[in-house]
Amino acid sequence: MANNNILDPQKTLHEIEEKFEMFQILNEEGEIVNEEANPNLSDDELVELMSRMVYTRILDQRSISLNRQGRLGFYAPTAGQEASQLGSQFALEKEDWILPGYRDVPQIVWHGLPLEKAFLFSRGHFVGNQAPEGVNVLSPQIIIGAQYIQAAGVALGLKKRGTKGVAVTYTGDGGSSQGDFYEGINFAGAFKAPAIFFIQNNQYAISTPRELQTAATTLAQKGVAAGLPSVLVDGMDALAVYAVTKDARERALRGEGPTLIETMCYRYGPHTMAGDDPTRYRTSDIDSEWEKKDPLVRFRKYVEAKGLWSEEKENEVIERAKEEIKQAIKAADATPKQTVTQLMENMYKGDMPSNVKEQYEIYKEKESK
Amino acid sequence: MAQMTMIQAITDALRTELKNDENVLVFGEDVGVNGGVFRATDGLQKEFGVDRVFDTPLAESGIGGLAIGLSLTGYRPVPEIQFFGFVYEVMDSISGQLARMSYRSGGVYHAPVTIRSPFGGGVHTPEMHSDSLEGLMASQPGLTVVIPSTPYDAKGLLISSIRDDNPVIFLEHLKLYRSFREEVPEEAYTIPLGKADVKREGADLTIVAYGLMVHESLKAAEELEKDGHSVEVIDLRTIQPLDVETIIASVQKTGRAIVVQEAQKQAGIAANVVAEITERAILHLEAPVLRVAAPDTVYPFPQAEGVWLPNFKDVIETAKKVLEF
């Protein structure tokens, strides 16, 4: 008789999966449900984090609107992911590197990229991609997964330099199906490099639900394949995301290697503004279920209960956001148009190759007319 | 001066640059303690330590990402792809990322990365080891593609490649690794990228070649000489960018040209050379510019290499067509 116990799903699969419980600190009512893990941010820090989330929600609303007016180009909505995006960035230091995906513009803005540059990135202007000196960010990566293998390299570089910094990168649930996703975490693991890998699981890769990506019950457990400590976090809970990131960062700086973090979250808007219609693949029931989990609602309740937040304060942030967005769009409008010779100048450090040099002269002549 | 094979010259160049610049890092599959599957990195880990010369997991894409990330933190990576047929695994890192780093960041970041990789036929390798895929690389803006054919060139070009602040693909022909020795200076020296070398001067016909085909062309030139034809052989050395100046000057002198490559006719870079000559020197041409290239099939099964790969006889045949046009 065949031995039916060799591949026992209980032992080989379910026991592992059970270990990936959702880590949460703040529930939907804004109550601390895990006091032990509470990062105990100062009042100022709590206000700052709340302000950034409100600001970023407004940035999303305005970006969608500006996109519809044709005053922005490529835009991937972020509403719903504020806790995941900003809770994690809030735990970083200036020396840390961010390798963002295309939806991760807010993180690099809060890491130091001027808003006008973020808008220029959206429009498709190289000035938008010129990170200021000392702002350790790459431009949003369009090739899903590429940021993961590059993060392993940045992290190894930081380790070799003995820098007190980590490399942080983000992908989505769909991105966890890519080969570069696995290679990235596996390389970082093998080199014990100080990297933090985020999977922002917003349930859909364009129209494809998370269940169609993999039979794995969590995405966090994919870290097991690379030997990484991995954790599933409530991605609508800014405190939980912050606490986990902080912990991963400290581990990395102690030389203990990378971490994989799955943030369970949701995007309220479409995949991008380029014609995606989420009503084709999502019901309003699912939307309203996730709206109850809104990271702003619960964080607002939490800081209000502490007497740190009021409607007045929130309106102040909203007005500031709107004003700064207006100024940033103006600055973007005022940025000189790109020329072909500029594009050529940006291609190479040092001498241009002979073919480009020849074309450079041709375009210089054209541009002088 | 020392007599070196091409592989020794390559090791010597790597050693020179590891010594010269502490940011130079050599890594790849089995390049560390093993010294590389062809001994190209032999002894380097022992001499410079595991922090400078190290092995990686078996994943070409990851190696590409590693190189990009390391370059962002100020290193000068010299990764190896074990055989260039495996480049498909790392095409995005090379063409989609490395080649675009400076451009996409508006010149803020650069990628001083040199990717070394062996290729080339005639040694009966298994599948996907010998394919000539330089044409894929040559079509990617942002990349420089170097293919040496002699030990002397290999050392000088590799040092230049490593010192270049932009990504360079450095392709090493398997059959040329140990096929002959040549005097190679022991000190550091450079050969400019993008500069061809006239390996033999002649007046009646220009042969433009690179890689192993340089030697087949030289052999053909000797035979043609016996029939009274004076043949000039240009070794491109860098196939992107092309040294148009040297090619055109030669064609203006000889009035006839052929381009010789090991890659299939629909691949490689011979068509680019023909186009440049046609655009710039058509009034000097006595005959059309013909190509010597492999048939447009998949790279042959090892036992069929002898009938498939272009050799000096094909060069003679095509040269005669042009000479007698």
Side-chain angles (χ1 to χ4, degrees):
Chain A
M1 212 179 92
N3 184 347
N4 290 325
N5 295 326
I6 297 174
L7 295 175
D8 173 0
Q10 183 55 38
K11 279 205 160 58
T12 57
L13 185 64
H14 302 322
E15 283 175 16
I16 297 166
E17 289 180 335
E18 278 163 18
K19 299 199 167 91
F20 291 89
E21 286 175 8
M22 176 113 81
F23 174 70
Q24 190 187 56
I25 293 175
L26 210 53
N27 70 11
E28 288 170 30
E29 302 309 316
E31 299 156 350
I32 300 282
V33 292
N34 187 348
E35 189 52 61
E36 204 182 315
N38 189 346
N40 291 317
L41 292 170
S42 70
D43 290 354
D44 284 352
E45 287 172 322
L46 288 171
V47 168
E48 176 63 19
L49 184 49
M50 182 64 198
S51 301
R52 288 186 183 191
M53 288 204 287
V54 170
Y55 191 113
T56 306
R57 179 67 60 90
I58 298 302
L59 178 60
D60 184 69
Q61 289 167 0
R62 292 297 301 139
S63 297
I64 287 171
S65 161
L66 288 161
N67 168 281
R68 290 198 174 125
Q69 295 164 29
R71 299 189 71 194
L72 282 182
F74 172 76
Y75 182 67
T78 59
Q81 298 193 196
E82 292 85 354
S84 172
Q85 295 183 320
L86 307 179
S88 55
Q89 194 280 327
F90 203 59
L92 305 183
E93 300 293 335
K94 201 173 163 50
E95 44 272 84
D96 298 334
W97 277 76
I98 298 181
L99 293 91
Y102 52 75
R103 202 181 301 282
D104 303 311
V105 174
Q107 293 97 307
I108 57 173
V109 166
W110 290 111
H111 212 57
L113 187 79
L115 200 49
E116 68 184 79
K117 285 186 182 278
F119 290 153
L120 287 167
F121 161 76
S122 164
R123 290 177 174 183
H125 194 302
F126 73 83
V127 168
N129 287 12
Q130 289 174 319
E133 175 92 40
V135 176
N136 296 333
V137 301
L138 289 190
S139 305
Q141 177 59 249
I142 300 297
I143 302 303
I144 296 172
Q147 70 272 36
Y148 257 57
I149 47 173
Q150 293 173 20
V154 171
L156 181 59
L158 295 172
K159 180 180 173 174
K160 282 181 172 295
R161 295 263 180 234
T163 311
K164 283 283 160 216
V166 301
V168 181
T169 189
Y170 300 83
T171 191
D173 40 307
S176 68
S177 301
Q178 289 278 6
D180 281 351
F181 164 86
Y182 172 69
E183 291 188 26
I185 59 175
N186 188 57
F187 268 59
F191 288 115
K192 252 195 180 179
I196 307 176
F197 296 98
F198 281 93
I199 305 170
Q200 298 186 90
N201 174 4
N202 66 16
Q203 319 299 320
Y204 287 88
I206 307 188
S207 65
T208 307
R210 138 81 182 85
E211 289 70 30
L212 283 180
Q213 296 295 339
T214 174
T217 55
T218 69
L219 300 177
Q221 75 196 63
K222 292 192 172 210
V224 174
L228 266 59
S230 315
V231 57
L232 172 61
V233 187
D234 183 347
M236 306 300 256
D237 171 359
L239 287 183
V241 176
Y242 173 86
V244 159
T245 311
K246 189 108 184 140
D247 205 31
R249 188 176 186 276
E250 281 162 12
R251 268 195 78 245
L253 292 182
R254 285 197 304 268
E256 293 169 27
T259 304
L260 179 67
I261 300 170
E262 176 186 3
T263 61
M264 189 75 91
C265 55
Y266 200 71
R267 63 166 154 87
Y268 296 138
H271 163 68
T272 66
M273 294 305 293
D276 177 45
D277 173 11
T279 62
R280 291 172 74 107
Y281 53 85
R282 272 185 346 209
T283 63
S284 56
D285 285 357
I286 302 171
D287 284 350
S288 54
E289 184 194 319
W290 279 93
E291 272 157 22
K292 281 182 216 145
K293 299 182 186 185
D294 192 318
L296 268 66
V297 171
R298 73 175 75 171
F299 208 75
R300 187 184 291 118
K301 283 180 184 165
Y302 176 63
V303 284
E304 272 175 358
K306 279 177 147 315
L308 299 171
W309 199 253
S310 62
E311 203 180 326
E312 201 186 351
K313 237 175 194 165
E314 182 144 338
N315 285 333
E316 261 173 45
V317 174
I318 292 170
E319 288 316 308
R320 178 163 56 89
K322 285 182 177 167
E323 184 52 31
E324 288 179 10
I325 290 165
K326 205 192 285 175
Q327 294 307 324
I329 279 287
K330 260 193 206 163
D333 288 345
T335 306
K337 284 189 176 146
Q338 299 164 101
T339 63
V340 175
T341 51
Q342 282 176 322
L343 302 182
M344 289 173 167
E345 284 160 5
N346 290 341
M347 279 293 297
Y348 302 90
K349 188 173 175 192
D351 288 347
M352 291 175 188
S354 51
N355 55 322
V356 182
K357 210 176 284 171
E358 187 179 298
Q359 292 159 22
Y360 186 79
E361 294 307 321
I362 295 168
Y363 278 90
K364 210 162 90 180
E365 173 72 24
K366 277 189 190 182
E367 289 165 9
S368 72
K369 282 173 188 161
Chain B
M1 296 283 260
Q3 286 278 325
M4 287 187 200
T5 60
M6 190 165 94
I7 196 127
Q8 287 169 332
I10 287 166
T11 312
D12 196 47
L14 291 170
R15 181 181 292 113
T16 303
E17 287 313 281
L18 280 161
K19 221 179 273 179
N20 170 58
D21 182 349
E22 59 181 17
N23 289 316
V24 171
L25 301 175
V26 171
F27 54 92
E29 296 158 8
D30 311 295
V31 304
V33 65
N34 189 43
V37 290
F38 295 105
R39 303 285 168 266
T41 54
D42 201 19
L44 297 181
Q45 189 181 72
K46 202 170 174 194
E47 190 174 343
F48 296 97
V50 75
D51 278 344
R52 307 282 309 282
V53 181
F54 53 94
D55 291 320
T56 66
L58 203 167
E60 286 74 19
S61 191
I63 291 170
L66 204 65
I68 293 166
L70 286 166
S71 73
L72 287 167
T73 50
Y75 286 101
R76 200 169 275 277
V78 189
E80 179 182 298
I81 302 298
Q82 203 162 64
F83 292 94
F84 207 57
F86 310 163
V87 72
Y88 294 115
E89 298 283 350
V90 62
M91 276 298 277
D92 179 57
S93 279
I94 297 175
S95 303
Q97 309 290 333
L98 265 177
R100 306 166 68 98
M101 183 60 79
S102 175
Y103 174 87
R104 81 184 289 261
S105 66
V108 170
Y109 301 127
H110 302 282
V113 176
T114 301
I115 298 181
R116 289 183 42 252
S117 189
F119 79 108
V123 291
H124 301 301
T125 59
E127 202 170 7
M128 292 291 288
H129 283 57
S130 295
D131 295 58
S132 290
L133 303 174
E134 68 278 7
L136 297 175
M137 299 290 109
S139 67
Q140 308 298 313
L143 298 180
T144 298
V145 187
V146 175
I147 303 183
S149 70
T150 69
Y152 178 86
D153 285 353
K155 180 173 173 180
L157 288 167
L158 184 51
I159 291 176
S160 294
S161 299
I162 295 172
R163 293 182 185 180
D164 198 278
D165 288 326
N166 305 294
V168 177
I169 310 298
F170 192 87
L171 298 174
E172 304 163 3
H173 199 291
L174 285 166
K175 201 164 181 193
L176 294 174
Y177 266 158
R178 295 184 174 84
S179 59
F180 67 100
R181 286 173 188 276
E182 189 179 54
E183 288 289 324
V184 175
E186 277 162 64
E187 68 275 12
Y189 63 93
T190 57
I191 294 172
L193 305 182
K195 286 273 172 267
D197 184 37
V198 178
K199 289 277 194 276
R200 178 193 171 103
E201 289 194 16
D204 304 336
L205 170 73
T206 299
I207 301 184
V208 180
Y210 59 98
L212 179 67
M213 291 302 115
V214 170
H215 300 280
E216 296 297 318
S217 299
L218 287 168
K219 208 160 150 188
E222 259 172 54
E223 295 294 317
L224 289 162
E225 175 95 44
K226 290 175 194 163
D227 294 337
H229 302 295
S230 164
V231 178
E232 181 144 305
V233 177
I234 296 177
D235 179 355
L236 287 176
R237 300 198 295 195
T238 299
I239 60 141
Q240 172 59 40
L242 289 171
D243 181 357
V244 172
E245 217 172 293
T246 301
I247 297 167
I248 298 303
S250 175
V251 172
Q252 284 175 342
K253 179 176 70 176
T254 62
R256 295 171 200 268
I258 66 171
V259 188
V260 185
Q261 68 178 23
E262 180 175 327
Q264 294 88 336
K265 198 166 188 178
Q266 71 183 66
I269 52 100
N272 296 353
V273 179
V274 175
E276 293 290 351
I277 295 172
T278 313
E279 283 185 2
R280 295 167 199 268
I282 195 158
L283 296 178
H284 292 86
L285 289 176
E286 304 286 339
V289 183
L290 298 187
R291 289 174 282 169
V292 175
D296 287 330
T297 71
V298 167
Y299 189 87
F301 292 102
Q303 291 200 327
E305 276 185 331
V307 294
W308 190 91
L309 285 168
N311 62 29
F312 74 99
K313 289 179 196 158
D314 303 302
V315 180
I316 292 170
E317 196 184 303
T318 306
K320 281 187 173 162
K321 271 189 206 162
V322 170
L323 286 163
E324 293 156 12
F325 179 78

